[in-house]
Amino acid sequence: MSAAENTLILYGVPFSQPVRAVMWLLLLKRLPFKMVLTNPGSSGDNGSRNPSFLSKNPAGTIPCIEEPDTGFTLGEAHAILTYLSAKHGWTDVYPQDIRVRARIDGYLHYHHRNVRDASLGLVAPKIRKDLDIPELVQKSALRTLTGALKTLETGWLVEHEFLVGDSVTLADLAAYVEIGQLQPQFTNLFDFNSYPNVQRWLERMSTVDSHDDVHVVLSKLGDISVEAPSMESIVNANKSALSALKSRLAELN
């Protein structure tokens, strides 16, 4: 296989929060990859419920990666983040120190039914009308998110600039794609004024390399706090993000 044929494949869409976390890591570490648009929940040719995709990731979720040279595939963003970091020796974002790594892993486990509820309670009801998320579930998710932000505010971010120490780790990438999407410059769905440490962290994360490349989709979509975006707007935002990503990847190759 040529180098191009060996290029890592990332399945997903730029609007997906977990997909953006993987995109960010790959761009941050300058690892070439190719994104294959995969529609979540669809059984169509490019859908995550299509049999061909399910053979790669039986859970039928995005993101999923594939290594063409070995045929290895892997789903679940946090598993992908830790796998790639371990494989390529990216010890700046996933240190070898087992205690530091354990703290990162601890956050990644915590994230799922805590910070991740930013999407379930605030973003998905606006974007994924097809899910018909009950109002009771949305309110519960918002309470969970608020509790998680208080935990970050009074715990994780009290003594350090980032979630696990004073440099960016996988924990920060995973957390930011969820929390950061709610900021006024993006969807504008949450008021962070009661969380000064979280605000400071958000501002610092916005300066991390490749932040803007990863968040083109949100910049294009804009404020959705008053009116939910049309499907056409969402599709166009994803297309713009993919076009920008291709241009950025061309610079890496």
Side-chain angles (χ1 to χ4, degrees):
M1 282 188 175
S2 66
E5 292 174 319
N6 281 334
T7 300
L8 181 76
I9 300 171
L10 172 62
Y11 295 94
V13 292
F15 192 81
S16 163
Q17 298 81 12
V19 170
R20 290 202 304 274
V22 177
M23 287 171 56
W24 201 349
L25 175 65
L26 293 171
L27 290 173
L28 187 64
K29 303 309 296 181
R30 304 294 192 269
L31 184 71
F33 68 98
K34 177 175 71 173
M35 173 170 274
V36 174
L37 285 181
T38 306
N39 298 318
S42 170
S43 58
D45 290 344
N46 297 316
S48 69
R49 304 304 301 179
N50 184 279
S52 65
F53 184 82
L54 291 174
S55 69
K56 304 177 190 299
N57 180 16
T61 58
I62 55 173
C64 175
I65 60 168
E66 180 176 4
E67 297 176 340
D69 55 338
T70 65
F72 177 72
T73 60
L74 182 65
E76 294 298 322
H78 295 174
I80 294 169
L81 295 175
T82 55
Y83 166 73
L84 290 173
S85 297
K87 176 181 178 178
H88 296 287
W90 294 336
T91 55
D92 54 338
V93 293
Y94 198 47
Q96 287 183 321
D97 185 305
I98 59 172
R99 290 188 176 89
V100 177
R101 185 169 288 195
R103 291 191 182 280
I104 295 171
D105 292 339
Y107 173 79
L108 296 178
H109 288 297
Y110 173 79
H111 176 95
H112 287 294
R113 284 314 312 270
N114 291 283
V115 172
R116 179 71 170 135
D117 274 18
S119 291
L120 177 63
L122 294 173
V123 180
K126 296 275 191 179
I127 300 295
R128 294 289 304 275
K129 294 293 186 180
D130 59 302
L131 296 178
D132 195 23
I133 301 172
E135 186 175 350
L136 185 63
V137 173
Q138 296 179 42
K139 289 181 177 179
S140 176
L142 180 57
R143 286 195 299 271
T144 299
L145 171 63
T146 302
L149 289 173
K150 288 179 180 177
T151 299
L152 267 59
E153 176 72 23
T154 61
W156 295 81
L157 293 170
V158 170
E159 296 182 356
H160 299 287
E161 188 173 3
F162 297 97
L163 290 178
V164 183
D166 293 317
S167 61
V168 173
T169 69
L170 300 182
D172 298 288
L173 302 183
Y176 184 88
V177 294
E178 290 290 341
I179 302 170
Q181 68 183 336
L182 306 177
Q183 295 176 96
Q185 65 267 37
F186 295 139
T187 62
N188 192 30
L189 292 176
F190 192 87
D191 183 355
F192 290 100
N193 284 331
S194 297
Y195 307 93
N197 287 332
V198 172
Q199 283 187 308
R200 170 186 53 76
W201 171 77
L202 288 170
E203 291 171 3
R204 181 66 184 85
M205 286 298 295
S206 70
T207 68
V208 173
D209 182 58
S210 298
H211 169 276
D212 292 350
D213 298 309
V214 173
H215 292 87
V216 169
V217 65
L218 292 174
S219 298
K220 293 295 183 181
L221 195 62
D223 189 335
I224 62 173
S225 60
V226 176
E227 183 177 354
S230 66
M231 183 53 65
E232 182 181 8
S233 297
I234 297 169
V235 170
N236 288 337
N238 271 310
K239 287 181 177 178
S240 294
L242 183 62
S243 177
L245 177 63
K246 287 181 177 178
S247 296
R248 184 72 181 91
L249 290 174
E251 298 174 6
L252 300 181
N253 294 326

mmCIF file of all heavy atoms in Angstrom, residues 229-251:
data_model
loop_
_atom_site.group_PDB
_atom_site.id
_atom_site.type_symbol
_atom_site.label_atom_id
_atom_site.label_comp_id
_atom_site.label_asym_id
_atom_site.label_seq_id
_atom_site.Cartn_x
_atom_site.Cartn_y
_atom_site.Cartn_z
ATOM 1 N N PRO A 229 -31.987 25.337 14.299
ATOM 2 C CA PRO A 229 -31.548 25.434 12.909
ATOM 3 C C PRO A 229 -32.290 24.449 12.013
ATOM 4 O O PRO A 229 -32.748 23.399 12.475
ATOM 5 C CB PRO A 229 -30.062 25.089 12.997
ATOM 6 C CG PRO A 229 -29.970 24.173 14.173
ATOM 7 C CD PRO A 229 -30.974 24.694 15.157
ATOM 8 N N SER A 230 -32.412 24.788 10.765
ATOM 9 C CA SER A 230 -33.018 23.876 9.799
ATOM 10 C C SER A 230 -32.036 22.759 9.475
ATOM 11 O O SER A 230 -30.823 22.891 9.684
ATOM 12 C CB SER A 230 -33.380 24.626 8.523
ATOM 13 O OG SER A 230 -32.199 25.087 7.869
ATOM 14 N N MET A 231 -32.566 21.670 8.943
ATOM 15 C CA MET A 231 -31.690 20.570 8.538
ATOM 16 C C MET A 231 -30.720 21.036 7.460
ATOM 17 O O MET A 231 -29.562 20.626 7.427
ATOM 18 C CB MET A 231 -32.519 19.391 8.041
ATOM 19 C CG MET A 231 -31.683 18.164 7.670
ATOM 20 S SD MET A 231 -30.566 17.618 8.997
ATOM 21 C CE MET A 231 -31.777 17.133 10.245
ATOM 22 N N GLU A 232 -31.190 21.919 6.590
ATOM 23 C CA GLU A 232 -30.320 22.451 5.545
ATOM 24 C C GLU A 232 -29.144 23.208 6.151
ATOM 25 O O GLU A 232 -27.998 23.074 5.688
ATOM 26 C CB GLU A 232 -31.109 23.370 4.626
ATOM 27 C CG GLU A 232 -30.280 23.944 3.477
ATOM 28 C CD GLU A 232 -31.066 24.881 2.578
ATOM 29 O OE1 GLU A 232 -32.217 25.209 2.936
ATOM 30 O OE2 GLU A 232 -30.529 25.288 1.531
ATOM 31 N N SER A 233 -29.402 23.978 7.209
ATOM 32 C CA SER A 233 -28.334 24.726 7.871
ATOM 33 C C SER A 233 -27.311 23.791 8.488
ATOM 34 O O SER A 233 -26.095 24.032 8.418
ATOM 35 C CB SER A 233 -28.923 25.634 8.953
ATOM 36 O OG SER A 233 -29.770 26.603 8.407
ATOM 37 N N ILE A 234 -27.802 22.711 9.096
ATOM 38 C CA ILE A 234 -26.906 21.741 9.726
ATOM 39 C C ILE A 234 -26.052 21.047 8.671
ATOM 40 O O ILE A 234 -24.838 20.893 8.832
ATOM 41 C CB ILE A 234 -27.720 20.711 10.525
ATOM 42 C CG1 ILE A 234 -28.483 21.405 11.654
ATOM 43 C CG2 ILE A 234 -26.804 19.631 11.100
ATOM 44 C CD1 ILE A 234 -29.504 20.524 12.334
ATOM 45 N N VAL A 235 -26.691 20.641 7.576
ATOM 46 C CA VAL A 235 -25.965 19.973 6.488
ATOM 47 C C VAL A 235 -24.909 20.907 5.908
ATOM 48 O O VAL A 235 -23.749 20.508 5.680
ATOM 49 C CB VAL A 235 -26.940 19.517 5.382
ATOM 50 C CG1 VAL A 235 -26.166 19.059 4.144
ATOM 51 C CG2 VAL A 235 -27.830 18.384 5.895
ATOM 52 N N ASN A 236 -25.282 22.158 5.668
ATOM 53 C CA ASN A 236 -24.338 23.114 5.095
ATOM 54 C C ASN A 236 -23.173 23.399 6.040
ATOM 55 O O ASN A 236 -22.030 23.585 5.596
ATOM 56 C CB ASN A 236 -25.049 24.414 4.735
ATOM 57 C CG ASN A 236 -25.955 24.266 3.525
ATOM 58 O OD1 ASN A 236 -25.757 23.363 2.710
ATOM 59 N ND2 ASN A 236 -26.943 25.133 3.405
ATOM 60 N N ALA A 237 -23.462 23.440 7.357
ATOM 61 C CA ALA A 237 -22.393 23.668 8.330
ATOM 62 C C ALA A 237 -21.407 22.503 8.320
ATOM 63 O O ALA A 237 -20.186 22.702 8.389
ATOM 64 C CB ALA A 237 -22.991 23.847 9.726
ATOM 65 N N ASN A 238 -21.938 21.286 8.224
ATOM 66 C CA ASN A 238 -21.069 20.108 8.148
ATOM 67 C C ASN A 238 -20.238 20.122 6.866
ATOM 68 O O ASN A 238 -19.054 19.778 6.877
ATOM 69 C CB ASN A 238 -21.899 18.827 8.218
ATOM 70 C CG ASN A 238 -22.118 18.334 9.635
ATOM 71 O OD1 ASN A 238 -21.181 18.211 10.415
ATOM 72 N ND2 ASN A 238 -23.360 18.057 9.977
ATOM 73 N N LYS A 239 -20.854 20.528 5.756
ATOM 74 C CA LYS A 239 -20.123 20.587 4.488
ATOM 75 C C LYS A 239 -19.004 21.626 4.540
ATOM 76 O O LYS A 239 -17.894 21.389 4.054
ATOM 77 C CB LYS A 239 -21.094 20.910 3.345
ATOM 78 C CG LYS A 239 -22.008 19.761 2.958
ATOM 79 C CD LYS A 239 -22.913 20.148 1.799
ATOM 80 C CE LYS A 239 -23.792 18.989 1.358
ATOM 81 N NZ LYS A 239 -24.711 19.383 0.253
ATOM 82 N N SER A 240 -19.308 22.775 5.131
ATOM 83 C CA SER A 240 -18.281 23.823 5.257
ATOM 84 C C SER A 240 -17.126 23.342 6.117
ATOM 85 O O SER A 240 -15.953 23.589 5.814
ATOM 86 C CB SER A 240 -18.899 25.084 5.882
ATOM 87 O OG SER A 240 -19.850 25.665 5.034
ATOM 88 N N ALA A 241 -17.475 22.645 7.210
ATOM 89 C CA ALA A 241 -16.438 22.129 8.108
ATOM 90 C C ALA A 241 -15.587 21.081 7.412
ATOM 91 O O ALA A 241 -14.361 21.042 7.581
ATOM 92 C CB ALA A 241 -17.085 21.539 9.353
ATOM 93 N N LEU A 242 -16.221 20.216 6.615
ATOM 94 C CA LEU A 242 -15.471 19.188 5.903
ATOM 95 C C LEU A 242 -14.545 19.806 4.867
ATOM 96 O O LEU A 242 -13.396 19.382 4.714
ATOM 97 C CB LEU A 242 -16.426 18.205 5.233
ATOM 98 C CG LEU A 242 -15.754 17.033 4.511
ATOM 99 C CD1 LEU A 242 -14.962 16.180 5.496
ATOM 100 C CD2 LEU A 242 -16.788 16.183 3.789
ATOM 101 N N SER A 243 -15.026 20.838 4.172
ATOM 102 C CA SER A 243 -14.193 21.522 3.182
ATOM 103 C C SER A 243 -12.984 22.171 3.846
ATOM 104 O O SER A 243 -11.853 22.071 3.350
ATOM 105 C CB SER A 243 -15.029 22.579 2.462
ATOM 106 O OG SER A 243 -14.244 23.313 1.546
ATOM 107 N N ALA A 244 -13.211 22.821 4.990
ATOM 108 C CA ALA A 244 -12.116 23.448 5.727
ATOM 109 C C ALA A 244 -11.131 22.398 6.232
ATOM 110 O O ALA A 244 -9.911 22.611 6.220
ATOM 111 C CB ALA A 244 -12.673 24.262 6.894
ATOM 112 N N LEU A 245 -11.668 21.262 6.670
ATOM 113 C CA LEU A 245 -10.812 20.185 7.162
ATOM 114 C C LEU A 245 -9.928 19.641 6.042
ATOM 115 O O LEU A 245 -8.737 19.393 6.251
ATOM 116 C CB LEU A 245 -11.668 19.066 7.749
ATOM 117 C CG LEU A 245 -10.918 17.827 8.235
ATOM 118 C CD1 LEU A 245 -9.972 18.183 9.387
ATOM 119 C CD2 LEU A 245 -11.895 16.735 8.669
ATOM 120 N N LYS A 246 -10.495 19.464 4.868
ATOM 121 C CA LYS A 246 -9.711 18.955 3.733
ATOM 122 C C LYS A 246 -8.565 19.900 3.396
ATOM 123 O O LYS A 246 -7.447 19.459 3.094
ATOM 124 C CB LYS A 246 -10.615 18.754 2.524
ATOM 125 C CG LYS A 246 -11.543 17.553 2.640
ATOM 126 C CD LYS A 246 -12.406 17.391 1.391
ATOM 127 C CE LYS A 246 -13.282 16.150 1.493
ATOM 128 N NZ LYS A 246 -14.157 15.994 0.308
ATOM 129 N N SER A 247 -8.843 21.197 3.460
ATOM 130 C CA SER A 247 -7.793 22.181 3.189
ATOM 131 C C SER A 247 -6.690 22.092 4.255
ATOM 132 O O SER A 247 -5.496 22.173 3.933
ATOM 133 C CB SER A 247 -8.383 23.587 3.173
ATOM 134 O OG SER A 247 -9.311 23.736 2.123
ATOM 135 N N ARG A 248 -7.107 21.923 5.494
ATOM 136 C CA ARG A 248 -6.131 21.824 6.596
ATOM 137 C C ARG A 248 -5.311 20.550 6.459
ATOM 138 O O ARG A 248 -4.089 20.563 6.667
ATOM 139 C CB ARG A 248 -6.875 21.828 7.934
ATOM 140 C CG ARG A 248 -5.951 21.835 9.140
ATOM 141 C CD ARG A 248 -5.288 23.186 9.302
ATOM 142 N NE ARG A 248 -4.395 23.211 10.435
ATOM 143 C CZ ARG A 248 -3.092 22.900 10.363
ATOM 144 N NH1 ARG A 248 -2.547 22.569 9.199
ATOM 145 N NH2 ARG A 248 -2.339 22.937 11.454
ATOM 146 N N LEU A 249 -5.960 19.462 6.098
ATOM 147 C CA LEU A 249 -5.240 18.183 5.956
ATOM 148 C C LEU A 249 -4.264 18.233 4.782
ATOM 149 O O LEU A 249 -3.208 17.598 4.838
ATOM 150 C CB LEU A 249 -6.234 17.039 5.769
ATOM 151 C CG LEU A 249 -7.072 16.682 6.998
ATOM 152 C CD1 LEU A 249 -8.125 15.638 6.651
ATOM 153 C CD2 LEU A 249 -6.177 16.168 8.136
ATOM 154 N N ALA A 250 -4.618 18.963 3.742
ATOM 155 C CA ALA A 250 -3.715 19.092 2.598
ATOM 156 C C ALA A 250 -2.408 19.739 3.003
ATOM 157 O O ALA A 250 -1.339 19.432 2.455
ATOM 158 C CB ALA A 250 -4.391 19.906 1.502
ATOM 159 N N GLU A 251 -2.483 20.620 4.002
ATOM 160 C CA GLU A 251 -1.273 21.262 4.513
ATOM 161 C C GLU A 251 -0.391 20.283 5.279
ATOM 162 O O GLU A 251 0.840 20.463 5.347
ATOM 163 C CB GLU A 251 -1.645 22.427 5.434
ATOM 164 C CG GLU A 251 -2.427 23.539 4.741
ATOM 165 C CD GLU A 251 -2.896 24.589 5.730
ATOM 166 O OE1 GLU A 251 -2.508 24.507 6.916
ATOM 167 O OE2 GLU A 251 -3.637 25.510 5.322
#
